[in-house]
């Protein structure tokens, strides 16, 4: 079984959508990535940091999904990273109400000994210097390194971001971020430019409009599953990334052809994540449900035209 | 060979995009639909109206594509419908600068005798009362009636629109229009509601984000081909509709499975239309180019995951 190391936030989220609002609930990039990847046959571990206000029950739940939490540092007297946001009626835009970095502010990630030989490395959205620190702790380069980032780091840590982007195989960002990073409006041109910065594979996430995978002259597209309701989009991008790298780690095949399948799986997993608040849907998700939904993705996209 | 009757505008367009501007050039819904459908083995004809300012050369070009223009009335002393618009930098939004209805203002469509037995009827974007008049002139209901419309008629001719929507098999509208027509934000719910108004098949066009086909519980999605540059989006929706109905008319198969292929062809044709100003690209388009691009659509969307 392949090892998969996931670096990212483990956090409290407080979310308001047109459908309702939550108290502080479990959130964070590494949480969503880990829960999504846990649906695949991989040996996964998380590197992150929380305060001692973080409920042991959450860590137990993650362990129950066979996620190694040895790398989740618990800072005594510290408080866990907290994010609060409110979604607008279209569910595509949101306002951030609160961001308290807390223990994340001076997070010094430590890769556990048993993950220093990880074959798959997922760098969830975090300060690019933290992402780089993790790369440097792994003596033999992993088979595949995937980086997720966001516009905040483009605005505030450009040089660090460019350095870490040089080191990765795959970058996943949304369409607006791809435009900002490349200075190109056309996503085709944006992906070409970003690819020249380092990553041979560029995944552009377009939310409800699906995701594009670019590699050299090749393009593949995975739609989002059209849903009657999107209940809470929080973590959908991380869930997508977790499904993507989880599938690749399970199949140990990092070819472009297999990455097509991986972004379909990413989209599959994300389609569940948005159905309930927070991590709730991902916690209860079964392999049978995923398989059934894969059938829906086939119905949605596969066609038979004879080229004659 | 199936007959295909197309009703819609034949017009002058004047277009400005970030890439340049045109003088008055050939435009109109029926023009784009006709040129797109002319790539398929169909016997097509247009019902429309122009003034005597309309160049004979344009009509000759359409005839040269085997499009019957007997039904294009030329009003002596009249002026042809004229639209002018300017696209913003994102190419997704535009301002209408000029709309001169001219001869279109009191257009009374006459279906030519040789198309009264048409098997396929495409009602391009026009006043819904004009669309209804055409339906009524056809004694035996066509095998398939497709309606395209827009928000303007929802705002200004709601009752007439609802009446004509009852009579058609397929409606093609964009995402915002689907929301306006149904009062539902979710496109899945919007399509369900619209289907109850009459059309068993609902096609929602999302521009650069592709198109969705809904029928009962089934959904199919055709992406737009990611392009380095979109040069001029004018007529892309009509070109899409022309490819859709042209393929169905050629294959004489109106099953849901075949409509999947038809929206892939619609998206294929639209991907060419946007590559040059106005109708230019569609006038020069060859069957070999379409076939090659169909291969690109397969590369873009088809995947092989074993469900085990």
């Amino acid at each position: 079984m392949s090892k998969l190391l996931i670096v990212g936030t483990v956090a409290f989220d407080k979310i308001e959508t047109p459908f309702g609002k939550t108290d502080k609930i479990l959130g964070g990039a590494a949480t969503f990535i880990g829960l999504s990847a846990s649906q695949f046959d991989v040996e996964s571990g998380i590197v992150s940091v929380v305060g001692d206000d973080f409920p042991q029950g959450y860590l137990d739940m993650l362990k129950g999904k066979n996620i190694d939490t040895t790398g989740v540092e618990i800072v005594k007297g510290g408080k866990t990273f907290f994010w609060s946001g409110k979604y607008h009626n279209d569910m595509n835009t949101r306002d951030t109400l609160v961001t308290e970095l807390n223990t994340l502010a001076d997070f010094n990630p430590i890769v556990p000994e048993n993950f220093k030989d990880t074959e798959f490395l997922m760098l969830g959205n975090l300060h690019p210097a933290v992402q780089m620190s993790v790369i440097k702790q792994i003596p033999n380069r992993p088979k595949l390194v995937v980086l997720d980032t966001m516009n905040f780091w483009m605005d505030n840590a450009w040089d660090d971001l460019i350095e870490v982007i040089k080191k990765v195989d795959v970058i996943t960002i949304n369409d607006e971020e791809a435009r900002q990073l490349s200075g190109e409006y056309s996503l085709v041109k944006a992906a070409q430019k970003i690819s020249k910065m380092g990553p041979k594979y560029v995944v552009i996430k377009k939310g409800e409009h699906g995701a594009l995978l670019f590699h050299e002259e090749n393009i593949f597209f995975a739609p989002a599953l059209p849903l009657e309701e999107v209940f809470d989009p929080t973590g959908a991008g991380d869930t997508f990334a977790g499904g993507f790298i989880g599938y690749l780690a399970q199949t140990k095949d990092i070819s472009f052809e297999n990455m097509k399948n991986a972004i379909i799986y990413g989209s599959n997993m994300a389609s569940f994540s948005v159905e309930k608040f927070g991590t709730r849907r991902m916690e209860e998700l079964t392999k049978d449900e995923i398989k059934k939904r894969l059938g829906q993705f086939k119905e949605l996209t596969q066609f038979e035209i004879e080229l004659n």
Side-chain angles (χ1 to χ4, degrees), chain A:
Chain A
M1 212 186 287
S2 297
K3 287 186 182 175
L4 165 62
L5 184 64
I6 299 158
V7 189
T9 53
V10 171
F12 289 131
D13 283 349
K14 189 164 181 294
I15 300 155
E16 189 173 340
T17 79
F19 300 103
K21 55 166 87 177
T22 69
D23 289 327
K24 277 190 180 183
I25 58 172
L26 176 60
T31 309
F32 281 103
I33 294 165
L35 284 172
S36 185
S38 77
Q39 294 289 344
F40 300 88
D41 295 329
V42 293
E43 190 183 334
S44 65
I46 290 178
V47 169
S48 191
V49 64
V50 294
D52 58 9
D53 58 346
F54 193 75
Q56 183 63 36
Y58 287 164
L59 291 172
D60 291 344
M61 184 277 291
L62 293 172
K63 283 180 203 162
K65 302 282 183 188
N66 288 315
I67 301 167
D68 187 323
T69 60
T70 318
V72 181
E73 185 191 355
I74 303 171
V75 178
K76 288 219 171 104
K79 287 180 74 184
T80 301
F81 172 56
F82 172 56
W83 177 83
S84 174
K86 181 178 177 176
Y87 289 87
H88 300 165
N89 282 327
D90 67 4
M91 299 295 270
N92 281 322
T93 51
R94 69 185 186 190
D95 295 327
T96 289
L97 304 176
V98 181
T99 305
E100 292 173 7
L101 286 181
N102 299 329
T103 54
L104 200 67
D106 32 36
F107 174 38
N108 183 22
I110 309 287
V111 174
E113 279 305 318
N114 59 330
F115 276 95
K116 287 202 168 163
D117 60 349
T118 192
E119 297 149 279
F120 290 83
L121 175 59
M122 177 72 224
L123 302 168
N125 177 38
L126 265 181
H127 195 298
V130 173
Q131 294 174 320
M132 183 66 99
S133 160
V134 170
I135 290 176
K136 287 187 173 163
Q137 291 175 55
I138 296 172
N140 295 310
R141 192 183 188 286
K143 187 170 176 172
L144 191 79
V145 182
V146 178
L147 174 105
D148 188 53
T149 190
M150 69 183 295
N151 52 358
F152 182 82
W153 309 116
M154 298 175 200
D155 295 333
N156 296 291
W158 178 265
D159 292 348
D160 288 332
L161 181 61
I162 294 301
E163 283 309 304
V164 74
I165 284 177
K166 282 182 190 166
K167 301 283 190 192
V168 306
D169 303 297
V170 184
I171 185 171
T172 70
I173 42 176
N174 76 28
D175 41 1
E176 283 317 306
E177 291 156 356
R179 288 175 173 133
Q180 183 174 349
L181 186 58
S182 65
E184 292 285 350
Y185 186 81
S186 153
L187 296 180
V188 176
K189 287 188 178 176
Q192 287 165 352
K193 269 205 178 175
I194 294 166
S195 198
K196 287 190 184 131
M197 297 177 180
K200 290 198 178 69
Y201 301 86
V202 176
V203 176
I204 300 182
K205 301 173 289 181
K206 302 198 298 170
E208 62 165 324
H209 300 302
L212 287 158
L213 166 66
F214 295 88
H215 174 58
E216 294 172 355
E217 299 304 306
N218 304 304
I219 313 179
F220 182 71
F221 177 76
L225 195 71
L227 297 169
E228 287 201 23
E229 293 292 4
V230 171
F231 199 79
D232 174 15
T234 310
D238 300 313
T239 304
F240 174 90
F244 176 78
I245 200 163
Y247 179 79
L248 292 176
Q250 174 180 288
T251 55
K252 303 179 187 192
D253 172 358
I254 59 170
S255 67
F256 179 73
E257 284 305 311
N258 201 47
M259 281 196 193
K260 291 182 177 184
N261 298 342
I263 73 162
I264 293 288
Y265 267 102
S267 197
N268 186 337
M269 305 302 284
S271 75
F272 287 108
S273 183
V274 302
E275 289 183 340
K276 293 192 178 179
F277 271 123
T279 58
R280 188 61 57 187
R281 189 70 180 91
M282 298 310 290
E283 289 181 41
E284 69 190 19
L285 184 62
T286 68
K287 285 195 163 59
D288 271 354
E289 289 177 308
I290 297 165
K291 187 171 159 182
K292 191 175 167 200
R293 194 153 285 186
L294 189 60
Q296 289 180 268
F297 273 89
K298 285 196 168 191
E299 289 293 318
L300 183 66
T301 58
Q302 305 301 286
F303 60 88
E304 306 262 350
I305 298 176
E306 292 306 315
L307 285 174
N308 50 30

